[in-house]
Amino acid sequence: MPPSSAPVSHTAPLSREQASRLRDLLAARGWEFIEKPYVIFAAEKKPEKVNVSVYEKGPKILVQGKGTSEFVRFILEPEILGQVELGYEEELHPEMFSPHLGIDESGKGDFFGPLVVAGAYVDPAIARAYREAGVQDSKAIGSDTRIRALARVVRETPGAACEVLVFEPAHYNALHAKFKNLNRLLAWGHGRVIEALLERKPACPRVLADQFADPALMRRGLSERGKRIELQTRTKAESDPAVAAASILARESFIDWMAAAGERTGKKFLRGASKEVKQLGADLVMESGPQILNHVAKTHFRTAHEIAPDAFAAPPERTAWIRR
């Protein structure tokens, strides 16, 4: 039987053709289209209390509001996706509800701020509780307040086990200089989180991470007990409740660090590595000298060299990979 509690948000991948069909369908049914950044389109239907955003990246649809469940069940799934899954995830994807760890990170592509690696454990009861609370991929959540509320749910759900490892910039820069490779550093961090969670859940049989994680590198840093756990990676792993919970915990620690750093410096720290990010870095260097970047940014990024070329070497040029 489907769960009785209705989700207040839902995400799903779409093709360009599906996005176009959905737009035409909503227009024909009188939905109001609204302007939003980074979307192919966004629309709302106020009586039904539901908002739909189809993001360019993916593309991917985000449905929010009290009418989410009805929209997904009666419009999105039967008329656009051609499949029925909402409410039947446990029957269709039992592996998501079996005992396992999920692992994810935040800050990997951001010039400013730390790298955060987080992990979470689920069993059937925890996975159901996370789903009913709306725990999902943190990238689909635009509100910091909502991230913090869901992180509290993740930590406080009975039986939950969580671990968060924050590499603040000075520590991160020292480790990157030692490992000389972000993937090796990240795999080492994944291993530390897995080991910590296995202290509390020693019988856990497997761990799931995003496809970009490297199981061979992770396994290299695990103890004998850790080496016995099954390491899995797959695309869109954030749809898994354990990985989604980990992504929310990692995002919470990242945004908390950014907020605290902003209070200390009087600056608004931005995500990514945009022109605005580069300008903020240049302002900080002008005010405090280039070494300030060691304490607030990832200095192996090309951005650091562009801001202060005498203090930070340019990263090596990427070479094209050739199949032999």
Side-chain angles (χ1 to χ4, degrees), residues 30-160:
W31 284 59
E32 180 182 349
F33 289 84
I34 55 180
E35 294 293 323
K36 285 182 68 175
Y38 312 117
V39 300
I40 298 174
F41 70 87
E44 62 182 6
K45 198 76 177 289
K46 291 182 179 177
E48 287 82 355
K49 297 181 180 178
V50 62
N51 296 276
V52 171
S53 301
V54 177
Y55 286 89
E56 295 169 350
K57 188 174 181 180
K60 177 176 67 177
I61 186 172
L62 171 63
V63 188
Q64 295 177 300
K66 291 184 177 179
T68 292
S69 181
E70 289 75 14
F71 177 86
V72 174
R73 290 177 191 276
F74 302 120
I75 296 178
L76 179 63
E77 289 188 337
E79 300 195 48
I80 303 300
L81 300 179
Q83 61 188 23
V84 178
E85 290 200 5
L86 185 63
Y88 295 90
E89 291 89 347
E90 194 162 356
E91 290 83 356
L92 294 169
H93 304 287
E95 74 282 356
M96 291 186 178
F97 295 82
S98 65
H100 66 284
L101 307 178
I103 196 161
D104 202 22
E105 66 277 336
S106 186
K108 182 172 66 174
D110 299 289
F111 178 60
F112 289 121
L115 172 69
V116 185
V117 181
Y121 168 84
V122 301
D123 60 17
I126 297 169
R128 291 186 205 109
Y130 286 173
R131 171 181 153 67
E132 291 171 9
V135 171
Q136 60 180 303
D137 180 8
S138 64
K139 290 188 287 296
I141 302 172
S143 162
D144 289 353
T145 299
R146 179 67 174 157
I147 286 287
R148 292 184 174 109
L150 288 174
R152 191 160 52 249
V153 169
V154 169
R155 288 191 297 268
E156 295 178 359
T157 294

